Amino acid sequence: MPTNNVYVNCFESVCCAGESSEALFEAICKRQSGIKSFNDFIPNKSIALGKIEKPFSIESLLAVTCKKVLVQSSLENFENTLLVIGSSVGGMQRSELLFLRDHHYANIDPKLHAIDAIAHILSQHFTFKDDISFSTACTSSANALGYGYEMIAKGVYESVLVVGIDTLSLTTIRGFDALGVLSSRPCQPFDMNRDGMNVAEGIAVVLLQNTPCKESIEFLGAGYSSDAHHMAHPSPDGEGALLAMQKALQCAHIMPSEVGYINAHGTGTQANDTSEACAIARLLGDKVSVSSTKSITGHTLGAAGALEAIVCAMALQKQILPPNTNLFEPENKTLNLVNAAKSQTLRYALSNSLAFGGNNTALLFGLPQ
């Protein structure tokens, strides 16, 4: 089967740091975090979260965000488009609210609880040719993007709409609290004094197509690995993340030295940042600019891969390096950690997503030639 080029043609996002992708990128460059402290998610404890402050539901926001991408694109509708969802919780937040209200499961609709609940919700607003949902923890929408890439590259579809979405589920928040990895302040990825992550909610919608438009970014490859080192901790030497990045570069026949920017997974937890920093150092040392943007957005979990792919696409479009925020004392002195937004000639950018169980995904983007 012939291999087609794959392009990121349109995208939009909503998160605590901005109601659009443009607003998000501006917040990142100005270091304006959307993370705030909350006292009502865990009893007798203050934690910092990335909450979308809106008077209406995230499902409504999702429909509006998809509509924006539709308006941007040359498509009149999505009837010949594959829908690919990436989410770690699906409709679980809705089920939690119903259970807490009614104290039983009778009013919980299975269609609105499962991972594919997002596709069910969108089917009420749009007609898609087909849909598939991925739930692989924090790599969910990165894997959704990778699947979309493969479907277009192999000529199965001409257009794929990828949606990354997660909400602030109590199950998720309290699960991370049980692991002892939540911070009471905006996180500090790669800093020696980091003390944990910030769970967040977000929406990221990306339209992939086999023909470019005026401001397209080329989607050049995806790399995957599963080091299976531990259920909740990555390998200390970064072997899994390194392998995923190497595979993404091999997929595109790109040399590591050609990469100008890496948007790191960088959660602000001890184990993740040490491992990922080691992987990046092994791949390129200080020869690539690196930043994590989760100190601005929080960790949007299943939506993070798509949200940070958008950050990479905008960095390439604008030729601007997104900076780290809350980085005062870097733990790994080898990395070239961006300390301020600045203009730089960029040809290729990598986006890393790392998840529980050693599940790693790296996505490679570039300017069309």
Side-chain angles (χ1 to χ4, degrees):
M1 188 175 293
T3 299
N4 298 313
N5 290 346
V6 183
Y7 300 94
V8 175
N9 279 353
C10 302
F11 50 78
E12 192 54 276
S13 65
V14 181
C15 68
C16 68
E19 297 179 17
S20 68
S21 297
E22 284 289 342
L24 167 61
F25 198 78
E26 182 178 358
I28 290 170
C29 290
K30 291 183 176 179
R31 297 177 172 178
Q32 296 173 339
S33 179
I35 300 166
K36 298 178 182 178
S37 294
F38 293 88
N39 300 311
D40 51 349
F41 284 87
I42 299 176
N44 304 314
K45 189 172 186 178
S46 176
I47 56 172
L49 301 171
K51 189 176 190 303
I52 298 172
E53 302 286 358
K54 280 289 187 182
F56 38 88
S57 71
I58 198 164
E59 289 90 351
S60 299
L61 276 176
L62 174 61
V64 169
T65 307
C66 287
K67 181 65 175 179
K68 286 182 180 179
V69 172
L70 175 60
V71 170
Q72 289 177 34
S73 73
S74 59
L75 294 176
E76 294 184 0
N77 54 55
F78 290 145
E79 290 181 358
N80 294 311
T81 300
L82 171 67
L83 172 67
V84 188
I85 304 293
S87 179
S88 72
V89 304
M92 193 158 60
Q93 185 198 41
R94 179 186 292 220
S95 298
E96 288 173 351
L97 293 173
L98 287 172
F99 180 76
L100 290 171
R101 186 191 72 186
D102 301 333
H103 303 291
H104 58 75
Y105 294 103
N107 294 324
I108 297 177
D109 183 348
K111 290 182 180 178
L112 297 177
H113 174 82
I115 292 301
D116 61 357
I118 308 303
H120 178 76
I121 290 166
L122 286 176
S123 70
Q124 300 171 30
H125 301 273
F126 308 100
T127 301
F128 298 99
K129 186 173 184 179
D130 205 352
D131 65 77
I132 185 170
S133 299
F134 285 78
S135 183
T136 54
C138 303
T139 57
S140 296
S141 59
N143 286 333
L145 279 166
Y147 184 81
Y149 166 83
E150 292 176 13
M151 290 298 98
I152 293 178
K154 293 177 180 178
V156 182
Y157 291 91
E158 293 182 354
S159 300
V160 175
L161 188 74
V162 178
V163 174
I165 179 171
D166 259 336
T167 55
L168 287 175
S169 159
L170 283 173
T171 303
T172 303
I173 292 170
R174 294 186 181 185
F176 279 112
D177 182 55
L179 291 173
V181 295
L182 294 185
S183 179
S184 61
R185 62 193 187 201
C187 65
Q188 296 180 260
F190 302 116
D191 194 278
M192 289 181 65
N193 298 308
R194 64 190 184 276
D195 66 354
M197 61 178 281
N198 311 125
V199 178
E201 58 189 352
I203 299 168
V205 181
V206 181
L207 179 64
L208 305 178
Q209 294 180 293
N210 63 358
T211 54
C213 65
K214 184 178 179 181
E215 296 185 338
S216 293
I217 294 299
E218 192 165 2
F219 192 169
L220 294 163
Y224 314 96
S225 73
S226 181
D227 57 37
H229 172 77
H230 185 274
M231 274 306 299
H233 293 281
S235 55
D237 61 0
E239 187 63 30
L242 175 63
L243 185 58
M245 290 187 285
Q246 289 173 331
K247 285 185 174 181
L249 293 170
Q250 290 166 5
C251 179
H253 306 290
I254 299 298
M255 296 296 294
S257 59
E258 297 179 81
V259 177
Y261 171 65
I262 295 178
N263 185 286
H265 188 63
T267 61
T269 61
Q270 291 293 330
N272 176 90
D273 291 9
T274 297
S275 174
E276 187 178 15
C278 185
I280 295 171
R282 289 174 64 186
L283 181 72
L284 277 167
D286 64 354
K287 296 179 177 61
V288 62
S289 298
V290 180
S291 68
S292 168
T293 48
K294 287 186 172 68
S295 53
I296 302 297
T297 66
H299 189 351
T300 55
L301 307 178
L307 190 69
E308 291 163 20
I310 288 175
V311 173
C312 280
M314 296 191 75
L316 289 165
Q317 286 177 341
K318 297 176 181 296
Q319 295 288 282
I320 294 176
L321 290 173
N324 292 280
T325 299
N326 300 333
L327 178 63
F328 306 107
E329 297 182 67
E331 178 184 63
N332 190 311
K333 308 299 183 184
T334 305
L335 297 187
N336 178 14
L337 294 163
V338 183
N339 57 21
K342 58 183 177 182
S343 298
Q344 181 164 309
T345 302
L346 296 173
R347 175 69 181 90
Y348 302 108
L350 267 171
S351 182
N352 285 344
S353 295
L354 317 178
F356 284 160
N359 171 9
N360 310 294
T361 301
L363 307 176
L364 180 66
F365 303 95
L367 293 177
Q369 292 184 338

